[in-house]
Amino acid sequence: MTIAVITIDGPSASGKGTVAALVAAKLGFAYLDSGALYRLTALYAQRCGTSWSDEAGVAALARTLPAEFRDGGVYLAGEAVDDAIRAEEIGMGASAIAALPLVREALLERQRAYRVAPGLVTDGRDMGSVVFPDASLKVFLTADAQVRADRRYKQLISKEDSANLPRILQDITERDARDAARSVAPLRQEPDARLLDTSEMTVDLAVAAVLGWFEQSV
Ligand code: CDP
Ligand code: CDP
């Protein structure tokens, strides 16, 4: 029997991670935040002094990335880096290295290894299109850019006083454009993905929608 996978792809700050983690908890499935792997790789490269444009260098780091997800936290070489990887600068770095084919290839098998019984919920940009094309349910989760910028601002302002709404809107718009325009694994709604626009939807309703679709699919 194949192990169930629910993929939730979509643009920045749409609520993918929040919804995916809650759906996983409800079903007792594992959860993989694939964006965290790209963010960790960008942070690791920065710390190793490897330029984000050095494709072979960053891919080599991605292959041996000393990253762990445990106790609800993200660790790089044993150090808790939850806040460090969430900085918008690292989001930009993640988007830059994510356009490099060798880096995507280096992270591919690592992502597939998270598919364990009884199932997996995962979010990112290409989880339904490339990493798990045979997923049980594929969701494309989105929201208006202004709504997404407001959500990211509220997340960041609780950690850094310098969070600036116009800059966040500009950054996520730029990152979405780059993620959608790249030639490898671009961000887009696949024909077999269900569209979930959460611009005017609470987290609870979004979770209920995904669970409802999943029930129909099994
Ligand atoms: O993973 P992604 O970048 O798509 O977004 P996230 O980090 O899960 O969500 C960004 C923020 O939006 C979180 O603080 C969520 O609680 C919030 N959110 C919301 O307010 N309403 C929704 N329907 C979905 C998310
Ligand atoms: O939290 P947010 O939605 O802003 O971003 P993220 O999911 O943490 O991803 C950071 C960056 O990694 C994205 O802008 C993408 O360029 C890249 N990424 C990707 O290319 N493929 C994935 N499956 C996940 C993330």
Side-chain angles (χ1 to χ4, degrees):
M1 203 181 86
T2 56
I3 297 171
V5 179
I6 300 175
T7 59
I8 303 185
D9 290 305
S12 178
S14 52
K16 305 178 299 294
T18 305
V19 171
L22 289 167
V23 169
K26 201 90 185 164
L27 295 171
F29 285 9
Y31 165 56
L32 168 65
D33 172 0
S34 68
L37 290 175
Y38 288 91
R39 287 172 179 270
L40 282 159
T41 303
L43 180 66
Y44 192 39
Q46 188 185 59
R47 291 189 172 176
C48 293
T50 301
S51 163
W52 287 333
S53 59
D54 174 359
E55 180 167 9
V58 177
L61 294 176
R63 246 175 258 121
T64 58
L65 188 69
E68 282 173 279
F69 297 95
R70 62 176 149 90
D71 314 324
V74 185
Y75 295 80
L76 182 64
E79 179 194 338
V81 290
D82 300 75
D83 289 346
I85 63 163
R86 295 294 151 208
E88 202 47 44
E89 184 208 356
I90 296 298
M92 282 295 191
S95 175
I97 63 153
L100 307 173
L102 289 179
V103 173
R104 303 200 74 85
E105 198 185 298
L107 292 174
L108 190 60
E109 287 313 315
R110 188 177 192 131
Q111 294 171 84
R112 289 187 175 148
Y114 283 88
R115 186 175 197 164
V116 289
L120 172 70
V121 186
T122 182
D123 78 291
R125 303 293 184 289
D126 65 336
M127 305 315 283
S129 55
V130 175
V131 185
F132 300 108
D134 65 337
S136 333
L137 169 67
K138 300 181 188 181
V139 177
F140 189 81
L141 198 149
T142 190
D144 290 344
Q146 186 66 56
V147 171
R148 293 188 284 112
D150 285 341
R151 288 177 182 169
R152 183 55 33 95
Y153 175 76
K154 283 191 191 117
Q155 278 180 316
L156 291 175
I157 198 71
S158 60
K159 294 185 188 116
E160 47 180 279
D161 299 336
S162 58
N164 170 303
L165 185 56
R167 204 185 61 225
I168 290 172
L169 178 59
Q170 193 189 332
D171 282 358
I172 68 172
T173 308
E174 197 183 306
R175 190 143 63 85
D176 292 341
R178 179 163 45 193
D179 290 346
R182 69 186 176 213
S183 53
V184 280
L187 166 70
R188 63 164 175 240
Q189 185 188 351
E190 290 296 299
D192 57 350
R194 313 283 298 246
L195 178 65
L196 188 57
D197 186 329
T198 67
S199 303
E200 295 179 25
M201 199 184 271
T202 62
V203 170
D204 287 351
L205 281 175
V207 169
V210 175
L211 288 170
W213 284 332
F214 181 63
E215 267 164 36
Q216 287 168 19
S217 75
V218 288

